Amino acid sequence: MIHHLKGQLIEKNPTYVVIECNGIGYTVNISLHTFSLIPESEAISLFTYLQVKEDSHTLYGFVEKSEREIFKLLISVSGVGTSTARMMLSSLQPREVIDAIASGDVPTIQSVKGIGAKTAQRVILDLKDKVLKVLGDDEVFISQNNTNKEEALSALEILGYNRRQAGKVVEKILKDDPDSTVEAIIKLALKKL
């Protein structure tokens, strides 16, 4: 219904922004990913999703159109509401969500607060084909060495590193050299962490 908002940024918080458009102030719920991308300037433009319920109309805003598409896909899954979808997009980068769904990475999806094993599996089962259709096969990076990646991440976690930070570093290492051994991944990651 409301495709996007373009106006003046009145208030900016990690969970919501207030945008004034032609004298009307809109409260728009955002993810931490969108929060990090919002410029400090007064002029702002966000793609929106309007959730209409019996007792409320709630706007969700996204700097990137692709993040809005992922949000819409996530809330189409039974058991995943707008709060959970926003939590996923705050805990993980949209790219990480897509890659986790495309590669069937249950632990990554389950690492989001409030998502159990069954919901994580349902998200992957329901969205795997849709993610590939919406974004195209070439845009999704599916790690061929998923077991190497998991082993390396487990080792780094045991060594005391944050799984999310380590995951980003390991992902970059595998993008540069998809055939890396577990030992090579760990050694490179230790240099970069």
Side-chain angles (χ1 to χ4, degrees):
M1 189 176 168
I2 298 175
H3 181 267
H4 69 277
L5 289 175
K6 190 174 187 177
Q8 184 179 358
L9 181 63
I10 303 297
E11 196 175 330
K12 178 183 172 186
N13 293 294
T15 55
Y16 73 92
V17 291
V18 176
I19 302 172
E20 186 177 316
C21 303
N22 296 327
I24 300 171
Y26 293 92
T27 300
V28 183
N29 293 292
I30 58 170
S31 67
L32 284 175
H33 176 71
T34 289
F35 176 76
S36 68
L37 296 176
I38 292 175
E40 291 302 319
S41 64
E42 286 187 16
I44 185 174
S45 180
L46 289 181
F47 294 102
T48 58
Y49 173 80
L50 176 63
Q51 180 191 40
V52 179
K53 283 186 168 179
E54 201 173 289
D55 58 346
S56 68
H57 288 68
T58 311
L59 266 176
Y60 294 89
F62 312 91
V63 169
E64 302 166 327
K65 212 173 195 175
S66 59
E67 185 184 6
R68 179 176 66 178
E69 294 312 307
I70 297 163
F71 179 82
K72 286 160 73 173
L73 285 173
L74 289 170
I75 62 173
S76 73
V77 176
S78 173
V80 177
T82 52
S83 297
T84 305
R86 188 167 70 151
M87 178 69 78
M88 282 180 82
L89 292 167
S90 292
S91 303
L92 303 167
Q93 298 289 320
R95 177 97 249 153
E96 292 174 311
V97 174
I98 292 166
D99 290 343
I101 292 169
S103 62
D105 187 355
V106 174
T108 298
I109 303 286
Q110 201 177 337
S111 70
V112 176
K113 185 181 177 218
I115 294 188
K118 285 184 180 178
T119 305
Q121 290 166 348
R122 193 179 311 121
V123 165
I124 290 167
L125 186 69
D126 289 2
L127 300 182
K128 194 169 192 171
D129 294 337
K130 292 178 184 173
V131 162
L132 294 173
K133 277 182 196 165
V134 169
L135 299 162
D137 295 327
D138 57 330
E139 287 184 47
V140 179
F141 173 72
I142 300 173
S143 174
Q144 303 304 321
N145 297 350
N146 211 14
T147 53
N148 286 1
K149 174 184 165 187
E150 285 305 315
E151 284 181 42
L153 281 174
S154 296
L156 290 166
E157 208 172 4
I158 290 167
L159 292 171
Y161 290 96
N162 176 306
R163 185 175 179 90
R164 234 174 102 208
Q165 286 177 322
K168 288 178 184 175
V169 172
V170 168
E171 199 68 52
K172 188 176 185 326
I173 291 166
L174 285 171
K175 276 183 184 174
D176 295 341
D177 182 12
D179 300 322
S180 294
T181 63
V182 176
E183 294 81 16
I185 294 169
I186 294 169
K187 284 178 184 174
L188 281 169
L190 288 172
K191 289 177 185 173
K192 294 179 180 185
L193 284 168

